Amino acid sequence: LLQRLGKTADWIKKNADIFFAHPERGQMRHVWVCDDEGNPLWDQPIFLEPRAVITLPINLDGYIGLQEVWRPVFRAEAENFYPDLNYRQLGCVLIEAPRGLVESGESYEQAACREVEEEMQLAAVRAESIGYWMPNSAYTCNRIPACVVYVDHKRPVARGRDTGEKDIRVKWYHEDDVAEMLANGAIECGATSKALSWYFVKRFREIKKKPSK
């Protein structure tokens, strides 16, 4: 089917040490974990990703901007289906914070502003680093920083969107509503949940610093 449609895979099998590699998205490698004397204990995969950033847009009214994004490999049902997998059951819409790769020469804050402008088509005023997310400490080697991006939601910008971002829908939420969404499981994305947890820690510390009346 792929040949008939003229499609080629972007994730390529390399060799025994690199399961798959993508020119932009990263690598899945095969490694052995050894003891202090160098004796192999067990083998496992590790996933290497390029530099990326999670963004949390905050508009001039203090509302948090989140997106509704269709993800093809996630299943809405919560139960574990390993090792059986029906591919036709995969795919659902998730509520997420914008995120993306850091381009050459960019800081994380600059990349966060660019990502927000590309995905939300609104002017980013400034960005502030608030923490990071470790996707899976058993299989990934890197932390992904999270940044708050302050957005002028009254000033649109014209930035080109990636092909896969055409149908992204953005909604603005009061932080009390976002906290409730976290509590009731409406936000399932790990990156988004972690960015929001850092944000609420930041807000809690700001409130604690205010002098009592």
Side-chain angles (χ1 to χ4, degrees):
L1 176 61
L2 291 175
Q3 290 180 343
R4 180 159 52 85
L5 296 175
K7 298 287 186 179
T8 57
D10 292 322
W11 287 88
I12 304 298
K13 296 179 181 179
K14 291 290 188 179
N15 51 50
D17 295 324
I18 302 178
F19 290 146
F20 292 98
H22 188 286
E24 298 176 354
R25 304 293 181 182
Q27 295 181 351
M28 180 70 75
R29 295 187 183 181
H30 176 238
V31 300
W32 279 89
V33 178
C34 301
D35 61 21
D36 292 340
E37 283 73 41
N39 300 308
L41 299 175
W42 69 82
D43 66 329
Q44 68 171 71
I46 60 172
F47 187 50
L48 282 73
E49 290 184 296
R51 294 170 69 223
V53 65
I54 309 162
T55 72
L56 199 59
I58 310 294
N59 70 17
L60 298 177
D61 297 327
Y63 280 63
I64 300 171
L66 298 174
Q67 303 175 151
E68 293 182 357
V69 185
W70 184 77
R71 294 297 184 187
V73 299
F74 187 78
R75 196 169 82 170
E77 290 80 3
E79 73 270 10
N80 191 327
F81 51 83
Y82 176 85
D84 299 319
L85 179 62
N86 184 341
Y87 292 105
R88 294 183 179 276
Q89 294 179 345
L90 299 182
C92 65
V93 174
L94 296 178
I95 298 173
E96 298 184 1
R99 61 184 186 267
L101 299 179
V102 179
E103 295 182 353
S104 177
E106 283 185 325
S107 66
Y108 289 113
E109 291 79 8
Q110 288 171 332
C113 289
R114 175 182 51 76
E115 282 294 328
V116 166
E117 291 190 347
E118 287 179 354
E119 297 192 14
M120 293 191 159
Q121 301 291 291
L122 296 173
V125 178
R126 64 183 178 89
E128 176 185 347
S129 179
I130 56 172
Y132 63 86
W133 175 54
M134 167 65 80
N136 186 328
S137 59
Y139 298 113
T140 55
C141 306
N142 57 302
R143 298 184 180 99
I144 302 176
C147 292
V148 167
V149 180
Y150 297 96
V151 176
D152 186 347
H153 62 289
K154 299 177 182 179
R155 185 157 59 95
V157 296
R159 268 190 183 266
R161 280 182 170 173
D162 293 338
T163 304
E165 297 172 350
K166 289 182 178 179
D167 298 325
I168 289 177
R169 291 172 291 177
V170 179
K171 292 184 179 180
W172 296 94
Y173 299 89
H174 190 278
E175 61 183 33
D176 291 344
D177 296 325
V178 174
E180 179 61 28
M181 292 161 66
L182 282 171
N184 65 26
I187 297 175
E188 299 186 89
C189 170
T192 303
S193 298
K194 187 62 175 180
L196 287 168
S197 71
W198 280 112
Y199 171 74
F200 283 119
V201 167
K202 175 179 180 294
R203 292 284 292 123
F204 176 76
R205 288 175 173 171
E206 291 172 348
I207 293 171
K208 290 275 287 185
K209 288 180 180 179
K210 290 183 179 179
S212 301
K213 292 183 180 179

